[in-house]
Amino acid sequence: MQRSEIYEVTVPIHAPARARGLHVFTGRATSADEALIRAHQAYAAAVTALTAANAPAVREPDGWSACGIREGWDPDWPAAKATPWTPPRSSTPTGYRP
């Protein structure tokens, strides 16, 4: 059995008026490929929940979920990148140091 670690998946998003952004997903996976699949599944579940009346938010036990999905924004899944997650420098006890 492979050991899982926390991955971060960044997905470029585009709006009709040429606006751009990123949607970031995090969760446990055994590889970057699995992380991309799990992020895509979390996104699909979030979109389904948006369209269903009174659908509760779903968070998988291994951390994958999606919130803040922007209606009308299209994710560019072929350009998505998965990398092992590294805690931000600002999460250290001494705070951010440039």
Side-chain angles (χ1 to χ4, degrees):
M1 183 172 169
Q2 288 184 318
R3 184 173 167 255
S4 69
E5 61 182 304
I6 299 174
Y7 277 83
E8 174 179 291
V9 176
T10 56
V11 184
I13 54 176
H14 310 280
R18 294 187 180 219
R20 296 175 185 259
L22 281 177
H23 202 95
V24 179
F25 301 86
T26 58
R28 291 201 165 274
T30 57
S31 68
D33 288 339
E34 181 188 358
L36 288 167
I37 291 167
R38 297 302 309 273
H40 205 159
Q41 291 170 338
Y43 176 80
V47 169
T48 299
L50 280 174
T51 59
N54 299 321
V58 177
R59 184 180 218 41
E60 296 295 326
D62 53 4
W64 294 101
S65 66
C67 62
I69 300 296
R70 295 178 178 197
E71 193 172 339
W73 288 64
D74 297 316
D76 183 0
W77 287 105
K81 292 184 176 36
T83 57
W85 182 74
T86 304
R89 294 176 73 190
S90 61
S91 69
T92 62
T94 57
Y96 178 75
R97 292 185 193 161

